[in-house]
Amino acid sequence: MRRVAITHVAQSSGAESRESLMDFTYQINREILDKAGLKREDVGCIIAGSADIFHSGLSCANAFDWDGIGAFLKEGSRAEESAMSFIYGCMRILSGHYDTVLVTALVKGSENPDNDPITSFYGDPFYLRPVGINESVVAAMQMRQYMERYKVTEEQCAKVAVKNLANALFNPYADRKRRVSLKDVMSSERVYDPLKALECAPKSDGVVSVLLASESRAKKLTKKPVWFAGYGCSMDHFNPGDRDLLNGQLKTAAAAAYKMAGVRDPKKKIDVAEVCEPYAFQELLWCEQLGFCGEGGGGKLIDSGATQMDGALPVNPSGGVLATNPYPARGLYRIAEAALQIKGEAGEHQVGKKVKTALAHSTHGFGGQCHSVVILSA
Amino acid sequence: MGKAVAIIGTGQTKHGRRSDVCYPDLVKEAVSAALMDAGITLKDIDGVVLGTMPSMMEGVSSTHFYFAEAMGAVGKPVMKVETCGSTGQSIGHCGFFWVASGMADIVLVVGSEKMSEGDGQATMTTVFDPFFQRTFAAGAPGVFTMQSMEWMYRFKIPEEKGREAAAMISVSNHDNAMDNPYAHIRTRVTMDDVKNARVITYPVRLLDVCPASDGACAVVFASERTAKKICKKPAWIKGLGFRGEEFFYGESDKAIWMSATEAAKEAYQQAGIRNPMKQLDVAELYNPFTYQEMIFYECFGFCPRGEAPDYVLKGAFKKGGQLPCCPSGGTLCTNPIGATGLIRLAEAALQVTGKAGARQVEGAKLALSHAMGGVDQFNAVTILGSKL
């Protein structure tokens, strides 16, 4: 099998941008090409990551995106979720048809309605939507179930927000920058009981680009290629009532990714993880399902300090989605951050230990209906 | 370069107004048909690719969630790929690359649309930006009419001649649809019917325009090894190309239409096609508008620029002509948008495998399939062959 590497990454801040969506996109695309010393013409193929429901009131997101991502008269496509865009880019190189692929994901949350009314449209119009469902509502039910079944406490869940927002203070691209105490999180407004405001991700702007290259091209383009080592993705049942919200498809996705990457013991092998946690407790639940601790052990995991920046398995040193949530682009942000950690170029939020293998995770849909896991290695 | 990939099964719904089924059931109908055609079960599928039109048209956003069960994707990896009208071809391309990458052996590709439950024209108006273009956008016909006029003016095509040729295209597509049991509009029309039909956006009349259909299509892609093992007559993917141009309509030349020209050029190069008119046996074009079909003939090198009406009037693209186009009745008679590009691919596969029934072009070995999307912005081409 051919190999694929991430050679360069570029990302925007998650804070509200004053640029138009097209200029906003163009700037990051320009930045990554400049970093790689390439012209748009040199890139084999371009894949966008954007979703029309998160797209400033424009349908057919790819139509508007095409100029900004530099794809004029170039081979390309678009996937609706950015981890999928990344995988599609890898497929294009693995097929042997392309040597370089530029993957760019984009959104201006500041031009969109709030995420909750948007995600209510994931629900079908007949059974789910009329009851007022949205992603936060399902997350609240999931959190209640999680606490009841495993005796994980509300404080343990809130600790994730304290940790991630503290990490975000060291990330120049983070959106929500505020040091918060456990008391701040616990006393923030209960938006959907038991979920509190500071446990829910904000709505951010964000453009992120990743340049992919085949083995021979990658070695010419950079001294520090980050290799694509494994991938898994799995889709769950549509109706949240048809599934066990605490036993979804993440285990299936992770198992596939670990198998492809030859990871036997993730707890030992993974040096750092960027996990998609739009709700604080979900980081604990996802960590369990990724095999970082046993079933129901998420509460103890955060208490142990293992997932802190200087812990044995740092999780979300960038501040994660709780700090920066450019919804359809957030998966590619996780992948870009994981790559930076391996390159040793994460700046002030570079973890203390040497990173050889990193995990990036993305999820979207009610209670994590779809999960993607990507393993990168040095 | 790269591994060979084949289509080993296709499935379509009966297209039209399908108030008898809900949207996920429509998807399931196509998926079941494709699996049966390929002689496999859901267990054999390694991954699923889905594409539809945007949320506003679907009434549900991110349809890969809604169709999880219908497309048999529970517990499997999914790709959601969308490029407006060209979605159907783009998801086919994704299926190809997934298998060609070696990360999957068999991939199911699904495209669907239930247009009777949405407002297609209103949705397409929201593809335009809200500040400069949307105020004068008039859905799809407005755009395609501007393009048709630009083309006729550029190449000094007399209006009468353009009208005559477009009417012939409508008549032959409607005739072809009579042979296609899946087609939405199945009525014969005469030249006079077309020329006297109600004006939609001048010079485009009702019978120059596609219907809004409910329908779904599914196609199964497999690696060379598997295709040879389990499929008697696979359709091989010989070449594919996708190109897009500027977002703002006025910034590009729609009479020459670089995205269509370049997408075909790329696909031809991969497939080793130098003279498409001679080498191709059949073409399934994405032709929602009769006039536009003629622009595609020119962009794809079937005839010199500005001469498409002459070729049409000579009958070059009719059944039995030099290069039969849209023997299925085309998009003009069936248009469930998210599925339409994939239907073109499925029909091309049926042609090169000799499974097209009454609409079969005798001895077809090399076929072109195509889709167009956005505000005249995207074009995708896939070439299929009967031989590896």
Side-chain angles (χ1 to χ4, degrees), chain B residues 71-270:
Chain B
M71 58 187 191
V74 174
K76 294 185 195 299
V78 168
M79 291 286 291
K80 177 74 178 298
V81 171
E82 287 184 342
T83 60
C84 327
S86 43
T87 290
Q89 286 276 312
S90 286
I91 52 181
H93 290 185
C94 184
F96 168 84
F97 282 110
W98 202 340
V99 174
S101 74
M103 288 207 289
D105 197 39
I106 302 183
V107 169
L108 174 69
V109 176
V110 185
S112 67
E113 209 68 56
K114 204 158 194 296
M115 297 198 61
S116 64
E117 292 178 2
D119 188 336
Q121 294 314 312
T123 305
M124 278 183 262
T125 300
T126 63
V127 179
F128 293 87
D129 82 281
F131 308 110
F132 303 109
Q133 301 196 114
R134 199 176 294 171
T135 39
F136 63 81
V143 172
F144 301 136
T145 296
M146 275 197 278
Q147 180 184 30
S148 306
M149 296 301 268
E150 185 184 353
W151 167 70
M152 287 199 286
Y153 177 79
R154 177 77 54 83
F155 296 109
K156 301 192 172 47
I157 297 163
E159 206 177 311
E160 274 308 303
K161 194 182 183 183
R163 178 62 277 172
E164 193 73 13
M168 263 185 86
I169 288 177
S170 177
V171 171
S172 79
N173 272 289
H174 281 88
D175 282 348
N176 289 346
M178 298 299 285
D179 293 333
N180 180 1
Y182 303 112
H184 180 181
I185 305 293
R186 298 181 77 192
T187 36
R188 283 194 202 283
V189 299
T190 65
M191 294 289 281
D192 280 343
D193 291 340
V194 184
K195 288 190 232 174
N196 297 323
R198 178 163 64 86
V199 170
I200 302 295
T201 43
Y202 188 85
V204 170
R205 291 171 186 269
L206 184 65
L207 291 172
D208 291 309
V209 185
C210 64
S213 319
D214 302 343
C217 180
V219 173
V220 183
F221 288 72
S223 65
E224 181 181 345
R225 200 171 55 93
T226 301
K228 282 181 172 165
K229 202 162 78 187
I230 67 171
C231 183
K232 271 189 202 143
K233 273 191 138 186
W236 298 98
I237 288 126
K238 310 298 284 182
L240 35 87
F242 181 91
R243 292 291 184 273
E245 49 203 54
E246 298 95 334
F247 173 66
F248 286 101
Y249 184 82
E251 287 180 347
S252 52
D253 182 341
K254 302 298 185 197
I256 298 289
W257 215 1
M258 289 306 286
S259 61
T261 308
E262 295 287 315
K265 210 166 108 187
E266 169 84 44
Y268 289 159
Q269 201 188 351
Q270 292 174 17

